Amino acid sequence: MAELKDFAEQLVNLTVKEVNELADILKEEYGIEPAAAAVAVAGGGGAAAEEAEEQSEFDVILKAPGGSKLAVVKLVKELTGLGLKDAKALVDGAPAPVKEGVAKDEAEALKAQLEEAGAEVELK
């Protein structure tokens, strides 16, 4: 999962020149015509600005467990429904998403609860 996130981040951060080179490689070596992807990445700046204004879904990202790691693990377990081992792995793997695609109110409530337990949290 982490490898896929890294790969996705690399794709998002490609320059227009690199996207064009990638498109050429995909077309020549694999027979894939990625014209729509090149347009989406090249025009991504405007879409990101619109999304920042009207964002309706947020990801709650645990940046660091803080000083009270045990309390944060227990809270993550409670909030996500994960088992203790999985909740501990999530906290140990920070920064990591606790919940993705949640409404603004829920995201802010989760952030407040986690910060109250001592964690560093970010909403994206």
Side-chain angles (χ1 to χ4, degrees), residues 6-21:
D6 292 341
F7 180 66
E9 188 172 314
Q10 287 175 343
L11 284 176
V12 170
N13 292 324
L14 290 176
T15 65
V16 173
K17 182 179 178 184
E18 292 170 330
V19 169
N20 287 332
E21 290 175 7

Side-chain angles (χ1 to χ4, degrees), residues 44-90:
E50 288 177 21
E51 185 178 319
E53 294 173 14
E54 295 293 328
Q55 187 173 359
S56 62
E57 291 187 344
F58 294 84
D59 295 341
V60 180
I61 309 295
L62 176 68
K63 292 179 73 175
S68 184
K69 185 177 169 183
L70 182 59
V72 173
V73 169
K74 287 179 180 179
L75 185 58
V76 166
K77 178 183 179 288
E78 178 184 314
L79 295 173
T80 62
L82 293 172
L84 184 60
K85 182 179 178 181
D86 293 333
K88 182 180 182 306
L90 188 146

